[in-house]
Amino acid sequence: MYIVIIGSGRIGSTTARKLGDNGHDVVIIDSSVENLENTGGSFNGQKIKGIEFDNDTLIEAGIEKADVFLALTPDDNKNIVACRIAKDIFSVKKVIARVSNANIENMYKALGIETVNPISLAVSTIENKIF
């Protein structure tokens, strides 16, 4: 699969490495060179420094051929805008966003964007380990 990821913090860079190691073609975009270095030397995909929701940056990343678009920045506004562009302009079939503020998770869902909420996942995992 061809996967475009925005955000190369801990979640984005780890996801990019894992997907790349599993044989997927991965491109990761971040506005910070320092964040892009989080992917490490073993990352075999492409890294692009640029505005994560900029059309030209997304086109450079090959969004037109993307099977999956992952918005994994900690900025909900950036994730929503980027997901809308990926979904509505470039017709990416699978669009998933990280949710940082659980209070606006319904907004993502109203826009038809699948979500992952790291805090909810962590709490569920902890509860499962306790009980």
Side-chain angles (χ1 to χ4, degrees), residues 45-120:
Q46 182 182 0
K47 302 177 204 178
I48 297 175
K49 181 192 177 298
I51 305 292
E52 294 88 341
F53 52 83
D54 179 71
N55 277 355
D56 291 335
T57 302
L58 293 168
I59 290 169
E60 179 184 349
I63 195 163
E64 292 118 335
K65 61 182 177 181
D67 300 298
V68 177
F69 180 82
L70 304 175
L72 303 178
T73 80
D75 183 329
D76 285 311
N77 292 327
K78 191 180 288 187
N79 289 348
I80 288 170
V81 169
C83 285
R84 293 289 309 269
I85 291 169
K87 187 176 168 84
D88 298 341
I89 295 174
F90 294 104
S91 302
V92 179
K93 300 277 187 252
K94 187 67 136 178
V95 175
I96 304 169
R98 168 191 177 179
V99 175
S100 292
N101 181 349
N103 294 329
I104 65 167
E105 192 164 3
N106 286 336
M107 184 184 308
Y108 284 95
K109 292 182 181 176
L111 295 169
I113 300 168
E114 288 187 61
T115 60
V116 173
N117 184 327
I119 294 172
S120 294

Side-chain angles (χ1 to χ4, degrees), residues 25 29 31 38-39 41 77 93 100 111:
D25 293 320
I29 303 167
S31 58
N38 288 334
T39 56
N77 292 327
K93 300 277 187 252
S100 292
L111 295 169

